[in-house]
Amino acid sequence: DSGVTQTPKHLITATGQRVTLRCSPRSGDLSVYWYQQSLDQGLQFLIQYYNGEERAKGNILERFSAQQFPDLHSELNLSSLELGDSALYFCASSVGGGEGEQYFGPGTRLTVT
Amino acid sequence: ILNVEQSPQSLHVQEGDSTNFTCSFPSSNFYALHWYRWETAKSPEALFVMTLNGDEKKKGRISATLNTKEGYSYLYIKGSQPEDSATYLCAFKGGATNKLIFGTGTLLAVQP
């Protein structure tokens, strides 16, 4: 158990819908990272927040957005969902702003039908 | 486009065999190289973070080396055990960004 929690574990929704994935980092970690793992691709970095501020951005679609709240938990919002958004979404956390190892949560499996 | 490549894509060994795999990454603007172990139905687990050319790190039977000038890292597993079966991922971090760029992994299967 990494200490990072993610909810929900599974999510099934229809195209065009909007969902919110939630992540709570390890106690004391200030950075939260979001990754997408699709069937035919490796782990793709989406976005990083550090202590409430956006720190780095990857190939995150405009339909996706994220935020980190004062209690350091983070939410990833996915809207106008398409079939291709079906994937495993991981959240990870680290102590600092990006130097050390990252601790991964169990992931949220999103299925868009 | 930054490319992180891992080879081989998959590896089947017998229990007790020693094995190694390779991660290739851009040799310019290097900041760090991460290794993760990812078991099926679990989440990636950090093994090593390496930052200096010539770094060698060890955790039990698993060790890693780093050559930043030529852009590669090796992961070694000595005396493989069935519980070592997993996908081993490396991830490159360049100095200009906080992004980790992951390779597609090496899938290791250890037969008892």
Side-chain angles (χ1 to χ4, degrees), chain A residues 35 37 42-43 45 48 55-58 88 90 97-102 104-106, chain B residues 31-32 34 36 38 42-44 46-49 89 93 97-100 102-104:
Chain A
Y35 292 91
Q37 165 87 43
L43 273 171
F45 169 74
Q48 176 204 0
R55 178 62 75 98
K57 211 164 186 175
L88 192 51
F90 282 108
E99 300 82 18
E101 59 192 24
Q102 297 181 16
F104 281 76
Chain B
Y31 188 86
H34 294 220
Y36 288 85
W38 192 358
K42 294 190 178 179
S43 48
L47 287 173
F48 307 114
V49 178
L89 295 169
K93 182 172 181 297
T97 173
N98 268 343
K99 294 195 299 188
L100 269 186
F102 280 84
T104 49

Side-chain angles (χ1 to χ4, degrees), chain B residues 1-2 4 14 18 24 32 34 41 43 47 52-53 71 83 86 91 93 96 104-105:
Chain B
I1 297 176
L2 297 176
V4 177
Q14 294 294 315
S18 292
S24 302
H34 294 220
S43 48
L47 287 173
L52 297 175
N53 185 42
E83 58 264 30
K93 182 172 181 297
T104 49

Side-chain angles (χ1 to χ4, degrees), chain A residues 11-104:
Chain A
L11 200 47
I12 301 174
T13 190
T15 53
Q17 295 298 305
R18 182 179 189 275
V19 297
T20 297
L21 313 184
R22 184 190 165 103
C23 167
S24 291
R26 287 188 328 156
S27 177
D29 284 0
L30 297 179
S31 274
V32 168
Y33 310 79
W34 286 98
Y35 292 91
Q36 181 191 56
Q37 165 87 43
S38 302
L39 264 176
D40 55 350
Q41 291 196 337
L43 273 171
Q44 300 288 316
F45 169 74
L46 295 177
I47 197 163
Q48 176 204 0
Y49 277 82
Y50 174 73
N51 205 19
E53 304 272 332
E54 184 184 302
R55 178 62 75 98
K57 211 164 186 175
N59 299 324
I60 187 166
L61 299 172
E62 282 191 19
R63 300 183 285 110
F64 295 2
S65 65
Q67 54 183 326
Q68 187 179 28
F69 294 87
D71 67 353
L72 301 177
H73 91 270
S74 177
E75 290 180 358
L76 179 68
N77 300 296
L78 315 175
S79 61
S80 303
L81 285 167
E82 301 174 0
L83 295 176
D85 297 327
S86 296
L88 192 51
Y89 290 86
F90 282 108
C91 162
S93 72
S94 69
V95 172
E99 300 82 18
E101 59 192 24
Q102 297 181 16
Y103 296 86
F104 281 76

